[in-house]
Each structure stands twice: as structure tokens, then as C-alpha cells.
């Protein structure tokens, strides 16, 4: 599962030490998955020690919504259980906290990136950059071991085709009716320039690409602009499987890149109460 290193302008655990927390997250995740899988196997066996019906039993204590019947169901249960933990790390540090909007708890875009991609992918959700004392909102960033994707997700009318136009205007075609909308390249190019300039300022040489992602629509385009990919419904499955197949560990250059990006990200937070416990257990 990808790591949420920045959520808009919320305080992020990763900002305090971008070289430490990516590896710590992977370790915590592996340890807790191992424990849950062991408990599930014990419970699924005929071992009566785990077959309690009172509130101390495994079913009510760990599997609050019923015990998964297959390992695939268990994995999804585990991913759903990890999601609040990821939001916690992306909205508070040891000393600071941001007030998390409940809308993110049900955000399907967040769940998609965090639950469907490898641990070594680091995700910034609509980060707000601080440039010359002015806040600038960027598109989503997916920082993986081979480079950075600036991502614009397109969701148009169901069944519509998307026709790539110029840098300013694109079109939606549905039931033989064509309508125009602002090209996703407008914000993507702005985000690309911001990321490129920040990396250059820190002497971080890391590839950057722009990605228009529309898994529910066909994208019709004569050509793709330089360093840009259009992934529509026809290309999506191959792209998705390719992205998930990355086996590379987190790289030093990747961590240098997120350190630079996080150092120029805006954060709005308050001091945490002294009695607010900090618990890293999942």
C-alpha cells in the first residue's frame, strides 16, 4: 500500500523526518499484517482457545465486522484498518496536529492510491506549495522509485469519450453532443514546473512526468505532449499492472525528492494537547 506523505496543507509525520518514516511505516505494516494473519489462521483453525463469544474474543476485539472467510478478504480488511492510521500520520506530528475533515475518511481517490499500489510509492494528495510566501495548490503527486508522476484524474459524464485538444481546451463527447472543458494540462504544467523548480533548487535529479488518468473514459488524442501520458480506459489495465509490478525498494534519491517537496509544502496546524497520547500501534 502506498504511503500518504502529505494531505493538502495538513501536518504530516513525514515532514519531520522524511528519511525515517517511510521505512518505519513499512516495518509497522509488515509486523501488524503478520500478527493479524497469524491470529486469523488460529481463529480459522479448530483451536478452541480463540473461539470465544464474549467481548474479549478475537471476533469482537479484532474482527469487529465479522471474521473474513478468505485470505483475500483478510487483506482488504487489513487495508481498510490501516487507512485511519495513514490519515493519522498525514494529519499530525509528535507535537502538531491538523483538524482532519471527515470527507477524507470516505475519499475514494485516497483509498485507490493508498490501497492499490506498492509500499514504496509515496503519495501527496493535492499538496499546497508555499512559493514566495503565496500558497499554490498542486495536482496529486505519486513519487515512486523511478520518478514522479504529476497526476490529474478526469471524471466526466458516464459513457463519455474525452477528446484531447490543445493546452487550454479539451472536449467531452457523449450521445453525439460535444462540449468543451478546461484542459487538464493547464494545472498539470503548473504542477510540473513547481516540482521541477523545487528539485532543481536542491540539486535533485529525478524524472518527472505528467499523467492524465481517466480509467472510465476513452481518451482520443493525435499525440501526447512531451513527458506526458494519457491513460484512458483502453490503456488503464496495462498501465495499472505495470505500476503495481515495481519491486524496487525505496531509493535515496526518492527520499531526497520528498524532503525537498515537503520543505516547500504549506502546513496549517496547532499544538497537540499534552494529554493527547501518541500511539504508533496500528
Amino acid at each position: 500500500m502506498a504511503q500518504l506523505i502529505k494531505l493538502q496543507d495538513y501536518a504530516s509525520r513525514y515532514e519531520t523526518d522524511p528519511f525515517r518514516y517511510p521505512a518505519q511505516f513499512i516495518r509497522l505494516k509488515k509486523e501488524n499484517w503478520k500478527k493479524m494473519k497469524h491470529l486469523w489462521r488460529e481463529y480459522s483453525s479448530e483451536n478452541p482457545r480463540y473461539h470465544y463469544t464474549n467481548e474479549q474474543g478475537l471476533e469482537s476485539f479484532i474482527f469487529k465486522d465479522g471474521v473474513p472467510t478468505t485470505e483475500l478478504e483478510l487483506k482488504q480488511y487489513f487495508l481498510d484498518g490501516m487507512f485511519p492510521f495513514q490519515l493519522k500520520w498525514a494529519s499530525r506530528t509528535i507535537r502538531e496536529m491538523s483538524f482532519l475533515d471527515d470527507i477524507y475518511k470516505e475519499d475514494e481517490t485516497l483509498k485507490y492510491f493508498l490501497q492499490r499500489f506498492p509500499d514504496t510509492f509515496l503519495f501527496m494528495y493535492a499538496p499546497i506549495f508555499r512559493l514566495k510566501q503565496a500558497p499554490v495548490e498542486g495536482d496529486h503527486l505519486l513519487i515512486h522509485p523511478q520518478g514522479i508522476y504529476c497526476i490529474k484524474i478526469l471524471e466526466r459524464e458516464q459513457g463519455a469519450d474525452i477528446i484531447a485538444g490543445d493546452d487550454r481546451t479539451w472536449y467531452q463527447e457523449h450521445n453525439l453532443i460535444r462540449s468543451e472543458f478546461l484542459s487538464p494540462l493547464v494545472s498539470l504544467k503548473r504542477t510540473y514546473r513547481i516540482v521541477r523548480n523545487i528539485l532543481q533548487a536542491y540539486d535533485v535529479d529525478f524524472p518527472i512526468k505528467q499523467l492524465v488518468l481517466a480509467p472510465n473514459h476513452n481518451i482520443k488524442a493525435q499525440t501526447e505532449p512531451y513527458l506526458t501520458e494519457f491513460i484512458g480506459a483502453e490503456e488503464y489495465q496495462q498501465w495499472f499492472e505495470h505500476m503495481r509490478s515495481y519491486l524496487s525498494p525505496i531509493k535515496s534519491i526518492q527520499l531526497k525528492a520528498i524532503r525537498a517537496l515537503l520543505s516547500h509544502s504549506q502546513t496549517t496546524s496547532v499544538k497537540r494537547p499534552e494529554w493527547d497520547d501518541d500511539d504508533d500501534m496500528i
Side-chain angles (χ1 to χ4, degrees):
M1 57 195 310
Q3 302 187 46
L4 180 59
I5 65 170
K6 188 66 177 177
L7 176 61
Q8 289 206 319
D9 64 342
Y10 289 16
S12 169
R13 186 71 57 94
Y14 294 86
E15 289 177 298
T16 61
D17 194 340
F19 285 86
R20 169 192 172 192
Y21 282 105
Q24 183 171 335
F25 175 87
I26 293 174
R27 178 178 58 80
L28 283 171
K29 181 209 140 181
K30 288 181 177 179
E31 289 176 355
N32 282 270
W33 167 243
K34 184 178 180 180
K35 291 176 183 177
M36 178 170 281
K37 191 174 181 180
H38 172 74
L39 289 171
W40 176 74
R41 285 178 171 173
E42 290 288 339
Y43 183 87
S44 300
S45 71
E46 295 303 319
N47 189 340
R49 187 161 64 93
Y50 290 92
H51 287 211
Y52 298 118
T53 57
N54 60 33
E55 62 182 17
Q56 300 301 319
L58 180 66
E59 183 167 1
S60 61
F61 183 66
I62 295 181
F63 302 114
K64 297 182 177 63
D65 302 316
V67 180
T69 57
T70 66
E71 188 167 322
L72 185 62
E73 290 180 3
L74 181 69
K75 288 179 180 179
Q76 187 59 53
Y77 186 93
F78 180 75
L79 292 174
D80 291 339
M82 285 286 294
F83 187 63
F85 175 80
Q86 292 176 286
L87 290 178
K88 176 182 174 182
W89 269 25
S91 59
R92 61 175 62 187
T93 68
I94 301 297
R95 297 181 176 84
E96 302 287 325
M97 64 177 292
S98 301
F99 295 101
L100 182 68
D101 192 322
D102 286 343
I103 192 173
Y104 294 116
K105 297 177 182 179
E106 305 297 330
D107 192 299
E108 293 302 321
T109 297
L110 260 180
K111 289 184 178 180
Y112 167 75
F113 281 102
L114 300 188
Q115 295 187 350
R116 305 300 296 275
F117 293 95
D119 299 342
T120 56
F121 284 35
L122 311 175
F123 186 56
M124 300 179 72
Y125 181 103
I128 299 176
F129 293 102
R130 189 180 62 257
L131 304 173
K132 296 181 179 179
Q133 305 306 315
V136 180
E137 185 168 333
D139 291 309
H140 305 315
L141 299 179
L142 192 63
I143 303 100
H144 62 81
Q146 303 298 325
I148 299 174
Y149 272 115
C150 306
I151 301 175
K152 188 73 172 182
I153 301 174
L154 290 185
E155 288 290 348
R156 309 297 299 180
E157 189 174 354
Q158 186 175 2
D161 289 337
I162 294 173
I163 301 173
D166 54 27
D167 287 351
R168 294 293 307 177
T169 305
W170 280 29
Y171 304 91
Q172 168 186 295
E173 193 169 77
H174 186 249
N175 293 332
L176 301 180
I177 298 176
R178 179 177 290 193
S179 56
E180 64 180 43
F181 62 93
L182 182 66
S183 169
L185 299 179
V186 173
S187 63
L188 275 179
K189 287 187 175 182
R190 180 177 65 246
T191 302
Y192 174 89
R193 288 193 296 268
I194 291 172
V195 173
R196 180 196 61 193
N197 291 342
I198 291 175
L199 296 189
Q200 286 179 348
Y202 286 80
D203 293 323
V204 178
D205 186 12
F206 205 40
I208 312 168
K209 295 191 73 172
Q210 301 169 101
L211 175 67
V212 178
L213 186 61
N216 298 317
H217 305 279
N218 290 323
I219 299 179
K220 300 178 180 178
Q222 293 184 347
T223 60
E224 292 178 336
Y226 180 60
L227 295 176
T228 304
E229 286 186 55
F230 300 155
I231 304 297
E234 295 178 351
E235 302 84 15
Y236 174 74
Q237 194 59 37
Q238 182 178 355
W239 173 84
F240 179 67
E241 292 175 0
H242 174 69
M243 293 290 282
R244 282 172 57 89
S245 68
Y246 276 114
L247 299 177
S248 172
I250 290 178
K251 294 185 176 181
S252 175
I253 188 69
Q254 191 181 0
L255 298 178
K256 291 178 181 178
I258 68 168
R259 179 178 62 180
L261 294 171
L262 290 173
S263 69
H264 283 273
S265 297
Q266 178 164 300
T267 296
T268 304
S269 62
V270 298
K271 289 187 179 298
R272 290 176 58 178
E274 293 181 4
W275 59 84
D276 186 8
D277 292 335
D278 186 76
D279 183 6
D280 282 341
M281 293 299 293
I282 300 173

